Amino acid sequence: MFFIDTLELEGLGNRSYLAGGTHTAVAVDPPRDVDQVLALAARRGVRISHVVETHVHNDYVSGGLELARLTGAVHHVPAAARVSFARTPVHDGDTFTVDAGITLRALATPGHTPHHTSYVLEEHGAAVAVFTGGSLLIGTVGRPDLVEPRLTEELARAQHASAHRLAGELPDDTAVLPTHGFGSFCSSAQADGDSTTIGKEKAGNDALVQDVDAFVAALLAGLDDVPAYYAHMGPANAAGPAPVDLTAPPVADAAGIAARLAAGEWVVDLRNRIAFAQGHVAGSFNFEADGKLATYLAWLIPWGKPVTLLAQSPEQLAKAQRELARVGIDRPAAAATGDPAEWISADEELRSFPRATFADLAALGACEHRIVLDVRRDSERADGWIKGSVHIPIHQLHRRQGEVPAGVVWVHCAGGMRAGIAASLLDAAGRDVVAVDDSFDAARGAGLPMATGPGSRG
C-alpha cells in the first residue's frame, strides 16, 4: 500500500508532499526547513530515497538540495532547468521506483515555467495521484508570467496544452496534488476547494473547458501583481540554496531597538494588529505572525535590509523566523520577546492609533475631514470602491506615502490584515491614522457611497 502525506505551508499558500510505501519514500517540492519533511518520514518509519522538484520555484527557497544531501536521496530536477549544482536530470517519460510496486513517472507539463514537470504516482502500474506543482491546480492553473514577459503568452498556451495532456493521459479518479494554489501568488487564482481529481478538473477547470484562445485571453487579463521578492527566489534556487539556520538571533534591548530604528533598519512587530494598535514602539511596523508574514514582509522590505523582530513569545518568534527563512530572509539582526513596555526606554512612551469599522467611517459628520486610503490590489478594487478614496496597493505604499493627502487617514483593505500593515507604515511616518479592521463587504451595508467601473486605479 502507498501513502501520501501533505505538508501545509499556509504562510506561503503552498503544499509539499511525502509519498511512498513500507520502506522508502519520495519528497516532492520540499520547503527550505527540511526538518519538517524528515519528521514526516520518521513518523512513517521510511527512508527518503528520492527528492523531486516540479520546477525551479519563484515563490520560496527550495529545500530539495539540502534534503538530498542529508538523506543521500537522488535529487531529480527537470533536465531543461538551468541550475548550478549536481542533480539527476529528469526527462519526459522517465520512471523510477519509489518502493516495491510504487513508481513515479515524469510528464513534461510546461506552462508555469518552460521546464515544468509533473510526476505521476503509480501503484502496480495504475495511476493513483499526480503531483502537478504549478501546472494543473484546483480549479485553475499556475501563472505563466514569472519567467520572462516575452514568453508569457507562449507559456499560457503551453499551460492549456499541459492541462489537456494530464486530463487525456490520466484516469478521472487520479488525485491532483498541486504545490501552488492555496494563497501563493504563483497561482493565477485561488484554489477552488481543498482537494480534486482529474475528473473534477475536466468538468470545471477553465483550462479544460475553454478553447485555447478564450483561455489564454482570460488568463492574461486576470494576472495580478508579482511579489517583488520573487525576483530573488529563482536565482537562489538555481544556484543551490545554502542550508537554513534557525538558531535564535541576538537579543535586542530597548537601546538596541532604538539604535536600529535610528539607523533606518526595519523593526517588525509580530503581534496581532489589535495589540499593536493599542501600544507599540514608535517607528516599528506591524506584520502579524499569523497573517501572510513571509509574503508581505518579503514583498515590502528592501531586499537585504536588516530586520529586527519583536514577538509576543519565543514560540511566536521561532515560527516567524522559520517562515521568513523559507523566502530567503535568513537571519534576523536581533529579536525581543515579551512586554512591549520593555522594548522602550524609561523616558519613552508607546505609540497607539485607533481601530474602527466601516460603520464608524460612515458615521463621520460631513465637516469631519478624513482621507480614505484603499490598499487592496487593482484586481480587488475593480469590483468596487468607496467614492473619493485614494488607492495605493499595500506593496506600493512604502514608496508612495507622499501621495497620501494631508489629514486623518482611514485605511482599509478587504479584511483588516493589510490595513494593519498600512496603518503601521503611516503611523511610523508620523501620520494620524485609523485602521479600518472590517470586511469590505460591510462598506456598502454601512451606507458608504460606492463606485465601480473605469477609474478603479484612481
Side-chain angles (χ1 to χ4, degrees), residues 200-219:
K200 290 179 181 178
E201 293 309 303
K202 286 165 70 173
N205 193 304
D206 285 348
L208 297 172
V209 300
Q210 293 181 340
D211 66 66
V212 63
D213 290 331
F215 166 76
V216 169
L219 179 61

Side-chain angles (χ1 to χ4, degrees), residues 76-171:
H76 300 271
V77 178
R82 297 179 178 178
V83 296
S84 302
F85 51 86
R87 87 291 191 203
T88 299
V90 176
H91 300 85
D92 184 39
D94 284 354
T95 62
F96 51 89
T97 300
V98 176
D99 203 306
I102 301 172
T103 58
L104 211 61
R105 176 165 56 95
L107 287 181
T109 49
H112 186 48
T113 66
H115 61 264
H116 191 283
T117 300
S118 299
Y119 299 89
V120 183
L121 187 70
E122 298 177 335
E123 185 178 41
H124 302 301
V128 293
V130 57
F131 301 104
T132 56
S135 182
L136 186 66
L137 311 184
I138 302 178
T140 184
V141 295
R143 58 193 299 169
D145 61 328
L146 301 179
V147 177
E148 159 60 56
R150 291 170 294 183
L151 294 178
T152 297
E153 182 173 348
E154 176 185 333
L155 289 176
R157 292 182 178 277
Q159 276 291 51
H160 188 270
S162 292
H164 279 265
R165 182 184 187 190
L166 291 166
E169 294 189 18
L170 299 175

Side-chain angles (χ1 to χ4, degrees), residues 28-51:
V28 181
D29 287 343
R32 193 177 185 196
D33 48 327
V34 297
D35 58 324
Q36 295 189 99
V37 185
L38 293 171
L40 283 179
R43 284 196 291 271
R44 285 284 183 179
V46 297
R47 177 176 63 87
I48 297 175
S49 58
H50 299 273
V51 176

Side-chain angles (χ1 to χ4, degrees), residues 415-443:
M417 185 268 289
R418 287 172 293 172
I421 296 173
S424 74
L425 296 176
L426 292 168
D427 175 79
R431 297 296 303 268
D432 289 328
V433 64
V434 179
V436 179
D437 198 349
D438 200 359
S439 168
F440 189 71
D441 293 339

